[in-house]
Amino acid sequence: MKTNVTTDMPLKIAIASGKGGTGKTTVSVNLFHFIRQSWTSRVALVDCDVEEPNDLIFFPGAKLLSEKEATLPVPEIITDKCTFCRKCVEYCEFNAIVVIPPVKFAEINPSLCHSCGACLVACQDDAIIEKPYSIGKIRKYAVDEQAVIVEGLLKIGSAMQTSLIKIVKKEPVNNAEVILYDAPPGTSCPVVTTTADADYIILVTEPTPFGLHDLKLTVDLLRELEKPFGVIVNKAGLGNRDVYDYLEKEDIELIGEIPFDKKYASGYARGELLSHIPEKMENIYRQIVQDLKEKVSDYA
Amino acid sequence: MHEITLLSGKGGTGKTTIAAALASVARDAVFCDADVDAADMHLILKPEILEEHRFESNYVAKIDDDNCTRCSKCVEYCRFDAIHYKPFGGLEINPFQCEGCRLCERICPVGAIHSEKNNNNFWYVSNTRFGTLVHARMGAGEENSGKLVTEVRKKAMEIAKETGARFVITDGPPGIGCPVISALTGTHKVLMVIEPTKSGLHDIERLVDLARNFEPEMFAVINKYDINTGVTKEIEKYLEENSIQLLARIPFDTVMVEAMLHEKTIVEFKPASALSKMIKEIWENVAKTAYAEVTK
Ligand code: SF4
Ligand code: SF4
Ligand code: SF4
Ligand code: SF4
């Protein structure tokens, strides 16, 4: 067990799910709550679902500590210096640059640019400079002196969600002992970025054919990434037993089961997840946190 | 020809279940699963695959260890921290972190880096009991799902044109990022499936702000509306203020899940139910406006 926590690296746990709407946010928010109660008060919840961040809805009393723009350096062409040689166009793999020599037109489309820097290397005439371009916001909130929530909010119309997640994850969370990453749904790049440095990953699924199908895709991904993970079955009792057969067959750890409860679901609907937790749920989450605490000490 | 795209902001609102149910009542339509990241429509539509195509997405760079002089220039230039020192000497590129910009390949003094296109993505044209379905399977951890969305939609449109189908019904991706932008580009109608939760409302506001830029006609249904009638009222107010037509309020019913377990749409599973009637009405309302525009 850890004794001198201040010198330790924080433990990073990512909460992910292939399918959306399986209750990933509910689980993240509850884990945050119960980790604070029965493990450590120095915990941070980082909402990496930057397209639709929702964690904060459940903490109406949280105080805003800071807000800043998340920017990427995006190049701009200075037409006065440009010789319209089109070398930058050739270098740009993302079709973000248009240069039309006969009419002396040269422009970079910031919404297509990935900020790779290739065009700067290409240009021999010093005609390209970089300027910060906003792709969203990063907000940090305090729940109390120790526990913080960080959220990334993708600017509407920006396609740079993966880059924003990277920036969000760099936001310092003071001296947190446990950091929870609420990952976006799916199995593509943004999820890989969220889970990349996690010590352990919790997959949230539901016992339906859609839930199982998307769980399998996520499991394939995590195995390819060689990440340790376990599964929480949410809305248990709603579908069938196929997901349990799958977990057993694949030798995947079932971390816990959270029963479907319509009343609890309407609490979620109102944004009141933490004010009326049924005793049954409370016991389940406490058990999950207890198990996690023991388990992750092996991974960290 | 009209494309009707189902979107939801947040995932798990029942978008795919409703898209599949609409497929079972729509006549004259080609179906398109553009939720390529978690494509689930095929679980209900049970496609018989007619064509399989590989889809090449972004590049991934690789270092040829024998030629590399370990000068570190590539590490310095890569802005995605994708190039790492191996524990026992040499360098390697993590394919999951590589953005495919090819800059390292261009600056390597000894030409030790080359890039290859990722081709873990597939798209299909299939037959289903309701008509043609265009769908895809994305390789794990892939980027550029936006391009794959564009690809499946393009194919669905082509097929609709060739066969004279009047509609394309597209199950769109969740969120408001790159794949959603690709799904919105050029679509005619957006049908939003909203869950009456605080987060559902929050998400739909962001989605509507994005969708407006593309000027589609927008409709909405509230799914599981009775989970929270208070939030349902708030959503109704929001829709009204934004002139978005609310087509139905669908109650929570476990029969939806049961239908899914039987791999059927709700209309097939319980044809005489009130839910099935609602699905038919939703379709008639959406189709009506499309027909009206065609004959205008
Ligand atoms: S930074 Fe990269 S993506 Fe952006 S314009 Fe230059 S070459 Fe293209
Ligand atoms: S490489 Fe430089 S000089 Fe050539 S077209 Fe691009 S910006 Fe202009
Ligand atoms: S730039 Fe080329 S030679 Fe230098 S470390 Fe990279 S791969 Fe090796
Ligand atoms: S292609 Fe670009 S992102 Fe990939 S390793 Fe090379 S420099 Fe980095």
Side-chain angles (χ1 to χ4, degrees):
Chain A
M1 268 311 8
K2 293 175 181 182
T3 45
N4 187 4
V5 280
T6 41
T7 59
D8 274 326
M9 289 277 288
L11 187 75
K12 294 171 182 165
I13 303 172
I15 298 109
S17 76
K19 182 182 181 314
T22 56
K24 186 175 51 60
T25 298
T26 309
V27 170
S28 305
V29 166
N30 271 294
L31 285 179
F32 177 76
H33 180 74
F34 286 105
I35 287 174
R36 274 175 75 202
Q37 285 200 352
S38 58
W39 180 349
T40 170
S41 55
R42 288 173 20 219
V43 51
L45 174 59
V46 181
D47 198 341
C48 297
D49 192 354
V50 299
E51 291 175 53
E52 307 282 14
N54 286 142
D55 290 350
L56 209 79
I57 292 174
F58 303 99
F59 301 90
K63 270 203 288 300
L64 184 67
L65 292 175
S66 63
E67 173 177 303
K68 49 185 169 198
E69 293 288 324
T71 60
L72 284 180
V74 165
E76 228 179 76
I77 298 175
I78 309 161
T79 4
D80 285 347
K81 288 191 180 173
C82 177
T83 57
F84 308 97
C85 69
R86 289 181 54 88
K87 185 138 192 250
C88 54
V89 178
E90 201 186 295
Y91 265 47
C92 180
E93 280 298 322
F94 307 101
N95 298 320
I97 311 178
V98 180
V99 175
I100 311 168
V103 289
K104 297 199 179 327
F105 179 86
E107 208 171 85
I108 292 171
N109 180 347
S111 60
L112 291 175
C113 172
H114 288 226
S115 295
C116 69
C119 53
L120 286 126
V121 174
C123 185
Q124 307 293 315
D125 301 284
D126 267 340
I128 302 182
I129 52 157
E130 282 186 304
K131 284 192 176 158
Y133 180 79
S134 171
I135 56 168
K137 284 192 167 67
I138 297 173
R139 297 196 184 118
K140 186 152 70 176
Y141 295 84
V143 177
D144 60 27
E145 269 100 81
Q146 309 266 22
V148 295
I149 298 179
V150 176
E151 79 167 13
L153 191 70
L154 185 71
K155 188 164 137 188
I156 289 167
S158 170
M160 292 295 119
Q161 61 267 44
T162 307
S163 305
L164 180 57
I165 294 170
K166 278 190 199 160
I167 301 173
V168 169
K169 289 180 71 181
K170 283 190 188 136
E171 181 66 26
V173 284
N174 309 349
N175 52 355
E177 197 180 341
V178 179
I179 302 178
L180 298 173
Y181 294 128
D182 185 359
T187 52
S188 61
C189 222
V191 186
V192 175
T193 303
T194 306
T195 54
D197 61 339
D199 300 299
Y200 188 74
I201 295 152
I202 297 174
L203 296 179
V204 183
T205 189
E206 57 179 43
T208 63
F210 288 3
L212 177 58
H213 174 259
D214 299 343
L215 174 68
K216 286 180 183 166
L217 295 176
T218 319
V219 166
D220 289 349
L221 172 68
L222 293 182
R223 287 196 167 149
E224 215 173 306
L225 294 169
E226 298 176 5
K227 286 279 171 190
F229 63 93
V231 170
I232 288 181
V233 177
N234 191 26
K235 307 184 195 173
L238 202 59
N240 61 13
R241 303 290 305 169
D242 290 358
V243 66
Y244 302 98
D245 295 343
Y246 167 76
L247 294 179
E248 208 181 299
K249 199 178 109 240
E250 294 287 323
D251 203 16
I252 296 167
E253 191 187 357
L254 177 64
I255 307 172
E257 271 183 272
I258 299 160
F260 178 74
D261 179 330
K262 198 175 167 191
K263 236 167 97 194
Y264 188 61
S266 60
Y268 171 86
R270 286 190 303 271
E272 294 166 2
L273 213 46
L274 300 173
S275 44
H276 312 280
I277 305 173
E279 207 186 314
K280 195 171 61 179
M281 296 283 183
E282 181 162 341
N283 292 336
I284 293 168
Y285 277 112
R286 280 189 192 285
Q287 189 59 51
I288 291 173
V289 167
Q290 184 61 37
D291 294 348
L292 260 180
K293 189 175 164 184
E294 280 163 27
K295 185 181 11 255
V296 289
S297 55
D298 307 339
Y299 293 114
Chain B
M1 196 255 310
H2 276 250
E3 186 186 18
I4 298 145
T5 306
L6 281 87
L7 291 172
S8 63
K10 163 182 155 46
T13 62
K15 172 178 62 60
T16 302
T17 307
I18 291 173
L22 290 177
S24 64
V25 296
R27 296 280 159 269
D28 237 3
V30 171
F31 312 109
C32 175
D33 190 349
D35 188 355
V36 295
D37 210 356
D40 287 339
M41 209 148 144
H42 68 277
L43 296 173
I44 303 297
L45 298 194
K46 299 264 140 202
E48 175 206 331
I49 293 173
L50 303 176
E51 294 172 30
E52 179 186 276
H53 302 266
R54 249 179 213 281
F55 175 74
E56 292 194 332
S57 57
N58 55 309
Y59 280 100
V60 173
K62 230 182 142 164
I63 296 176
D64 172 8
D65 204 42
D66 293 339
N67 288 331
C68 169
T69 62
R70 287 128 168 82
C71 73
S72 297
K73 201 171 168 196
C74 54
V75 181
E76 197 184 302
Y77 274 84
C78 175
R79 290 200 176 172
F80 303 94
D81 303 324
I83 309 177
H84 306 274
Y85 295 95
K86 288 194 276 194
F88 302 103
L91 294 104
E92 68 183 351
I93 296 174
N94 179 336
F96 289 108
Q97 288 173 313
C98 174
E99 189 90 356
C101 71
R102 304 181 77 182
L103 181 56
C104 54
E105 183 184 339
R106 302 187 206 273
I107 53 94
C108 174
V110 294
I113 303 182
H114 72 277
S115 307
E116 262 168 39
K117 286 241 181 190
N118 238 346
N119 53 8
N120 286 327
N121 305 303
F122 295 88
W123 60 270
Y124 312 93
V125 178
S126 298
N127 228 342
T128 78
R129 59 193 184 282
F130 307 124
T132 307
L133 171 70
V134 184
H135 51 128
R137 204 191 68 209
M138 234 195 17
E142 290 276 307
E143 239 212 297
N144 270 331
S145 53
K147 284 191 187 155
L148 190 51
V149 167
T150 306
E151 189 77 16
V152 288
R153 285 183 60 220
K154 201 174 85 195
K155 188 66 195 176
M157 305 282 194
E158 271 170 33
I159 294 173
K161 275 201 192 102
E162 278 163 24
T163 58
R166 229 181 257 266
F167 304 104
V168 171
I169 299 179
T170 301
D171 186 16
I176 60 158
C178 167
V180 178
I181 294 169
S182 300
L184 279 166
T185 309
T187 190
H188 306 90
K189 291 175 200 302
V190 169
L191 177 60
M192 289 178 286
V193 181
I194 311 171
E195 207 181 66
T197 61
K198 281 267 183 226
S199 45
L201 175 58
H202 175 243
D203 296 349
I204 222 69
E205 288 172 356
R206 283 169 60 77
L207 178 63
V208 169
D209 285 349
L210 175 70
R212 272 216 189 90
N213 300 313
F214 299 88
E215 300 177 355
E217 191 176 359
M218 288 193 260
F219 302 93
V221 301
I222 302 179
N223 194 18
K224 310 178 203 167
Y225 83 92
D226 47 348
I227 285 230
N228 190 305
T229 45
V231 182
T232 292
K233 285 227 174 66
E234 278 179 56
I235 291 173
E236 284 172 2
K237 189 162 156 266
Y238 170 80
L239 293 174
E240 208 185 301
E241 283 167 6
N242 287 276
S243 318
I244 297 167
Q245 198 187 338
L246 176 64
L247 295 179
R249 276 178 301 176
I250 302 174
F252 175 79
D253 195 332
T254 49
V255 75
M256 284 281 202
V257 179
E258 268 174 65
M260 193 205 284
L261 294 176
H262 286 86
E263 296 172 350
K264 288 197 164 95
T265 72
I266 179 73
V267 182
E268 293 170 291
F269 189 64
K270 287 268 152 73
S273 65
L275 284 177
S276 297
K277 209 174 139 231
M278 274 184 188
I279 297 289
K280 284 178 200 147
E281 280 170 12
I282 294 169
W283 174 247
E284 275 160 21
N285 273 308
V286 176
K288 193 171 66 192
T289 60
Y291 279 119
E293 280 165 42
V294 172
T295 50
K296 226 182 325 196

